[in-house]
Amino acid sequence: MGWQTGLMASNPPVSGDPSPSRQQAPSSVAASSVAAVSTTAQDEAVEICRDLVRIDSVNRGNGDGNERAAAEYVAAKLAEVGLEPTLLESAPGRTSVITRIEGSDPRRPPLLIHGHLDVVPADPADWRVHPFSGEIVDGSLWGRGAVDMKDMDAMTLAVVRDLLRSGRRPPRDLVLAFVADEEAGGTLGARWLVDNHPQLFADCTEAISEVGGFSYTVSDDLRLYLIETAQKGIAWMKLTVTGRAGHGSMTSDDNAVTALCEAIVRLGRHRFPIVVTPTVRTFLDSVGEALGIEVDADDLETTIAKLGPIARMIGATIRNTANPTQLNAGEKVNVVPGEATAHVDGRFLPGQEEEFLRQIDELIGPAVRRDWVVFDQALETGFDGPLVDAMAGALKAEDPAARVVPYMLSGGTDAKSFSRLGIRCFGFSPLLLPPDLDFAGMFHGVDERVPVESLRFGVRVLDRFLAAS
């Protein structure tokens, strides 16, 4: 088939020590030789992204997902240019792809580029364009995963394929990981790989992935590019209340539904106190300077409200949050159930884990049992070093109006898993976006889409970045 496989789809999970071979790119061009990425690669990124969007890799949570078809597609694209990718499955159909490309300097630690292959569900009835069609309409590629994150998967594949076809070699080894299950916390994807096959990434010191490197237009001659250097922790919880079951027509002073709803209202309407981390402080100061507005430390929300569509995402990075998302109780209208449950999406800032847990338990009260569905760490790293310089240089070369700034992601990515190996993780999936595009709203939203020219721009930037990193 042209690639190695750790498990065929019909078999149980395997143990062992799969080690993708360290594939050497042709050495006819020295590492210092930087040739412009081809037009073919830019076109190819668009076509690969369309192909990936058309592959149903929906992850509904609770183990309900199947990335196998997408993983086999990616592996075939890598094998076509001489690589020997390894396919690994944590469970039938939950497939990840790993490979390595040799750089010109074996003394340097490898760079990890990771992306996930799964997407969240989408109801075609809600969309203007079918979410799994990969259609190009009004200059944009539409579909579930167009920005989260099959665009970055496609750009990475296009750049790597162009490198190998043209005989160029990156300065350092590249480890590529296209993984399963990110949309459900990565238990069957990145976390499983880190726990079971850490040797695949053991020598990597830095990584790039999704939700960073996108543009925020200030003016015609100034665009801020947001590089993700931090992300909130994940605290997905199940809340359970037990009460006395009985007939719905009788007085009920121990009603589990009532008690749960009271707790949910307290939690859902609570405004956690503002806490400004170093990343957010640097971001707000940079944006304030760029926009020519004063950042009022006593009224940060007013400043953030001036940022337009990204305000919702940035606004969530100045405090802990807890949003109720699911309720379940009872089977019949005239029966008071003995138990009621709810699910809550909690997120906490770096350094706020213990305080967040204290706040949650105080809000829900002693009558509510709290169980974790997914609990994972918050991350924050500095905005410095040669890798950051390479990001800035690559963006500036393609967009003279570019200025890079760090920011915190309100959500989470597979960086949480890979950082457990001591890898310094960044969000860098470069896109030059139209000023009026609600980019934050594309994530898990209806009518998700990415401009075709943004994909082509990203390929050019990634190619420059890899040559300089």
Side-chain angles (χ1 to χ4, degrees):
M1 297 173 66
W3 60 81
Q4 304 169 13
T5 181
L7 170 67
M8 296 305 291
S10 59
N11 294 336
V14 298
S15 60
D17 187 25
S19 299
S21 57
R22 188 171 182 263
Q23 291 296 300
Q24 180 173 335
S27 58
S28 57
V29 179
S32 60
S33 176
V34 180
V37 68
S38 70
T39 302
T40 299
Q42 297 175 59
D43 294 339
E44 191 172 68
V46 177
E47 292 308 310
I48 291 174
C49 190
R50 296 184 77 183
D51 289 345
L52 287 171
V53 166
R54 290 165 177 159
I55 297 173
D56 183 352
S57 56
V58 170
N59 186 347
R60 293 178 174 82
N62 299 316
D64 184 4
N66 192 328
E67 295 87 358
R68 182 77 193 192
E72 289 184 345
Y73 174 89
V74 168
K77 289 295 184 184
L78 294 169
E80 282 178 3
V81 289
L83 295 171
E84 296 180 5
T86 297
L87 275 69
L88 295 169
E89 285 191 344
S90 56
R94 310 313 303 270
T95 316
S96 298
V97 185
I98 315 293
T99 197
R100 181 181 292 232
I101 303 168
E102 184 177 358
S104 60
D105 186 353
R107 297 168 300 179
R108 297 187 60 194
L111 172 70
L112 170 63
I113 305 176
H114 61 96
H116 62 86
L117 297 172
D118 59 326
V119 297
V120 297
D123 184 351
D126 297 332
W127 288 54
R128 285 182 280 166
V129 175
H130 195 286
F132 299 103
S133 66
E135 287 190 47
I136 295 177
V137 178
D138 297 330
S140 290
L141 193 163
W142 294 58
R144 179 59 83 217
V147 300
D148 186 17
M149 64 168 296
K150 291 179 174 179
D151 59 338
M152 179 60 171
D153 294 336
M155 292 189 298
T156 300
L157 285 170
V159 169
V160 166
R161 283 165 59 86
D162 192 71
L163 279 173
L164 294 172
R165 283 192 303 252
S166 64
R168 293 180 291 149
R169 193 189 302 183
R172 60 201 291 192
D173 281 15
L174 303 178
V175 175
L176 308 182
F178 300 87
V179 304
D181 200 40
E182 190 273 348
E183 296 293 1
T187 304
L188 299 175
R191 181 58 52 86
W192 181 83
L193 289 168
V194 166
D195 289 345
N196 292 277
H197 302 289
Q199 75 285 350
L200 299 176
F201 317 101
D203 49 352
C204 296
T205 56
E206 297 169 310
I208 62 167
S209 189
E210 60 179 326
V211 207
F214 58 92
S215 65
Y216 170 77
T217 298
V218 176
S219 63
D220 289 343
D221 56 359
L222 178 59
R223 275 177 288 277
L224 302 182
Y225 283 83
L226 281 59
I227 309 297
E228 182 213 312
T229 60
Q231 54 183 246
K232 295 175 79 174
I234 296 176
W236 294 347
M237 65 195 84
K238 179 183 180 181
L239 305 182
T240 304
V241 176
T242 57
R244 186 174 62 249
H247 199 287
S249 68
M250 299 181 184
T251 300
S252 176
D253 57 4
D254 187 19
N255 189 311
V257 175
T258 301
L260 179 67
C261 288
E262 288 172 343
I264 285 295
V265 168
R266 290 193 300 271
L267 193 59
R269 296 200 183 280
H270 182 70
R271 299 286 281 179
F272 292 84
I274 290 176
V275 177
V276 181
T277 67
T279 293
V280 173
R281 169 54 61 192
T282 301
F283 172 81
L284 291 174
D285 288 345
S286 299
V287 170
E289 178 186 355
L291 296 177
I293 59 177
E294 181 180 354
V295 178
D296 185 351
D298 296 322
D299 188 14
L300 291 178
E301 290 175 313
T302 296
T303 300
I304 291 171
K306 297 176 182 178
L307 301 182
I310 67 168
R312 286 177 297 159
M313 180 169 63
I314 301 302
T317 65
I318 61 173
R319 53 166 49 96
N320 299 327
T321 57
N323 284 309
T325 55
Q326 293 176 291
L327 290 169
N328 186 53
E331 297 181 24
K332 208 166 177 293
V333 69
N334 64 342
V335 177
V336 176
E339 180 178 281
T341 62
H343 285 80
V344 176
D345 185 340
R347 310 280 175 151
F348 56 90
L349 297 168
Q352 284 284 299
E353 180 177 329
E354 291 185 7
E355 177 62 14
F356 176 72
L357 299 183
R358 185 196 67 78
Q359 293 166 340
I360 291 293
D361 288 342
E362 183 178 279
L363 286 165
I364 63 177
V368 180
R369 188 177 83 238
R370 167 178 54 75
D371 297 299
W372 297 125
V373 178
V374 174
F375 192 91
D376 213 340
Q377 63 183 332
L379 301 176
E380 189 162 30
T381 189
F383 189 57
D384 55 8
L387 199 73
V388 172
D389 294 340
M391 295 176 194
L395 286 165
K396 190 77 172 176
E398 291 297 330
D399 180 6
R403 181 190 301 174
V404 296
V405 297
Y407 91 106
M408 180 186 296
L409 178 65
S410 60
T413 73
D414 283 327
K416 295 183 183 302
S417 294
F418 291 116
S419 68
R420 291 174 181 268
L421 297 175
I423 299 173
R424 190 181 181 204
C425 297
F426 297 87
F428 186 65
S429 176
L431 296 170
L432 171 55
L433 301 169
D436 58 348
L437 180 69
D438 180 7
F439 185 62
M442 296 294 102
F443 289 83
H444 299 189
V446 173
D447 293 336
E448 181 181 352
R449 60 196 182 275
V450 62
V452 169
E453 288 306 313
S454 298
L455 284 172
R456 298 174 67 87
F457 172 86
V459 168
R460 298 194 302 271
V461 172
L462 278 177
D463 184 77
R464 289 182 180 275
F465 166 74
L466 293 181
S469 63

